[in-house]
Amino acid sequence: MKFEIGNFNVKDVVFGDKTKFENNILTINKQEAIEFIKRDEHITECDIEIAKPGDEVRIVPIKEAVEPRIRPDKRAVFPSITGELVPTGEGRVHALKGVSVLGVGMHWGSFGDGLLDMSGEGANYSYFSQLINVCLVIDTDEEFERHEQQKKNHAIRWACHLFAEYLGETVIDQQPEEIEKYEFTPVTRRSDEVNKLPSVVLVMQPQSQMEELGYNDLIYGWDMNKYLPTFMSPTEVLDGCIIGGSFMPCSSKWATYDFQNFPIIKELFKEHGKSINFLGVIMSNLNVSLEQKERAAIFVSNMAKSLGADGAIVTEEGYGNPDADYVRCICALEDVGVKVVGISNECTGRDGKSQPLVVMNEKTDALVSTGNVSQLIRLKPMKKVIGELEALARDGLSGGWAGDEILGPSVKEDGSVIMENNAMFCGDQIAGWSRKTMKEY
């Protein structure tokens, strides 16, 4: 499978008379864009704001992030979401780099939503502070879930994907500045030189715990709660076959933007044919019952063994209950002779002294931590808030609270914030963006 990403580097995003990309500047006709977004009858209010690196801006509650893209052949960028169900992983897609579309609640937040600062100390906690963020600030008529802690946020999330294509159309006929090329050769058609290298498979565990449909990550439009582990080309992942869901504490989340640019996949491609033989992706899931978790681990280990994997990287979207899937999968792989490195965040409590994973096993002896979800973060006030800051404390965001007998409310009267890392938008970057390091004392 041959796949290309044609990159257009965005140096600035501004509002203007016409939506276009010219001289590395993305211009948006705001009124026309709002009219496009409000074609969804469930969207009752909409505004668009632009947040740039260094701005004294705080954004909350954020529900989704998507990279603007378009296919020159006009197929859907997100099959079964923005258009017909078609294969991904081959051909070319054009991408506007350095920019993301953020879906932001105008008033209401939920358990899986997050916060992002564009400057100051808070900017160090999320990769998205380095991007120009086109914020779709939206309210909807989804009253049935307004006062629920967990929301599907369907209208806002779908608006992000549709608007990402809308912006991508500005470069549909242009020539990209650079082209990323990926070729995924069938595992039985590789050269002797490649086959002599240590063979590595990537095992991904997207969020799929919610038995009620509509909260989980989707693959080709299919709710991953109803999914079984499958072998895939890594180019499919980079090419829009998966979109993020609404469930999972936000620091642990993989947004759609993460799937589109999954750093671990890109790094494995760089090393393919040099230091490793990158076999591909085993796309697994995160389950509810212990039997489901065991079944998935059996599928994964059997596939890895059949592929002849020497090693595997296992990475989970989440923590807590998903740790059982994560650790069981690692152990099952080790049991069939596949050496594993695991990548996840951990929940060691505010004092950092608790057990990092819900389930531990002596076979999990090579783990990479991307951060502690319970770490307390204190942030100074910002000049401007996009969305509604009160949502952090009021609406059950996983890292915020209305009151604490010691710490008080998350949101202070002066606009400053105390919260757990849990609520930082994609803050632990388990996809591989993390800037965090370990320190010894």
Side-chain angles (χ1 to χ4, degrees), residues 195-362:
N195 285 328
K196 288 177 183 176
L197 296 170
S199 55
V200 177
V201 67
L202 172 63
V203 180
M204 296 175 62
Q205 296 179 313
Q207 182 50 239
S208 53
Q209 282 184 284
M210 295 291 280
E211 290 184 315
E212 181 180 339
L213 304 184
Y215 295 100
N216 302 300
D217 295 352
L218 300 180
I219 185 163
Y220 287 106
W222 184 259
D223 193 298
M224 293 193 74
N225 183 261
K226 304 302 180 184
Y227 182 81
L228 289 173
T230 303
F231 178 70
M232 297 179 62
S233 165
T235 59
E236 291 179 84
V237 181
L238 299 178
D239 193 23
C241 78
I242 305 182
I243 69 166
S246 70
F247 175 74
M248 183 38 57
C250 205
S251 70
S252 306
K253 184 176 287 188
W254 287 337
T256 298
Y257 187 102
D258 292 310
F259 287 119
Q260 293 172 291
N261 294 279
F262 215 75
I264 299 171
I265 289 178
K266 291 191 174 184
E267 193 64 28
L268 288 169
F269 262 121
K270 286 181 184 177
E271 292 301 313
H272 177 67
K274 299 176 183 176
S275 63
I276 62 168
N277 176 11
F278 181 24
L279 295 174
V281 172
I282 297 176
M283 188 63 66
S284 188
N285 55 352
L286 297 169
N287 299 279
V288 181
S289 72
L290 288 174
E291 182 178 328
Q292 291 169 336
K293 297 174 189 293
E294 182 64 29
R295 183 181 297 114
I298 290 170
F299 268 95
V300 169
S301 60
N302 282 345
M303 271 186 271
K305 182 170 63 174
S306 298
L307 288 166
D310 298 309
I313 296 173
V314 178
T315 180
E316 64 167 338
E317 182 187 5
Y319 71 95
N321 187 299
D323 292 344
D325 301 77
Y326 175 62
V327 171
R328 186 66 201 102
C329 184
I330 292 173
C331 292
L333 286 163
E334 291 278 352
D335 285 342
V336 297
V338 179
K339 299 298 182 183
V340 181
V341 172
I343 303 175
S344 73
N345 56 9
E346 54 187 306
C347 184
T348 59
R350 292 177 181 177
D351 61 2
K353 296 179 180 179
S354 299
Q355 180 170 304
L357 301 174
V358 169
V359 179
M360 297 294 287
N361 189 288
E362 62 184 9

Side-chain angles (χ1 to χ4, degrees), residues 19-173:
T19 299
K20 62 182 180 179
F21 181 76
E22 192 174 83
N23 298 322
N24 296 102
I25 297 174
L26 176 62
T27 303
I28 302 172
N29 182 311
K30 186 174 181 178
Q31 187 55 44
E32 288 181 2
I34 290 173
E35 290 173 2
F36 172 83
I37 294 163
K38 292 185 73 173
R39 292 193 307 183
D40 184 336
E41 61 184 11
H42 295 291
I43 294 176
T44 56
E45 295 183 70
C46 177
D47 192 14
I48 300 176
E49 300 213 42
I50 301 169
K52 303 176 184 180
D55 288 351
E56 293 188 47
V57 168
R58 177 163 292 151
I59 311 168
V60 64
I62 306 172
K63 304 170 185 294
E64 173 65 298
V66 186
E67 183 172 74
R69 291 185 175 187
I70 198 68
R71 294 186 194 281
D73 63 9
K74 300 185 179 180
R75 290 182 299 141
V77 173
F78 304 103
S80 194
I81 305 299
T82 57
E84 292 184 6
L85 179 59
V86 294
T88 69
E90 290 188 290
R92 179 187 286 190
V93 66
H94 284 178
L96 293 168
K97 307 302 292 186
V99 62
S100 82
V101 174
L102 290 186
V104 183
M106 185 172 286
H107 301 297
W108 302 99
S110 64
F111 177 78
D113 296 351
L115 176 147
L116 173 67
D117 278 359
M118 297 303 296
S119 63
E121 175 64 21
N124 294 323
Y125 286 92
S126 177
Y127 173 82
F128 288 90
S129 65
Q130 303 173 53
L131 303 176
I132 302 172
N133 294 294
V134 180
C135 303
L136 309 186
V137 190
I138 293 174
D139 200 13
T140 76
D141 67 358
E142 295 164 319
E143 299 288 341
F144 62 93
E145 61 178 26
R146 174 152 291 179
H147 299 290
E148 298 291 331
Q149 184 184 25
Q150 188 59 255
K151 297 176 175 63
K152 297 179 181 179
N153 294 309
H154 184 278
I156 296 178
R157 290 164 54 220
W158 259 240
C160 291
H161 295 90
L162 289 163
F163 193 65
E165 276 197 2
Y166 177 91
L167 294 180
E169 288 180 0
T170 60
V171 294
I172 190 169
D173 295 321

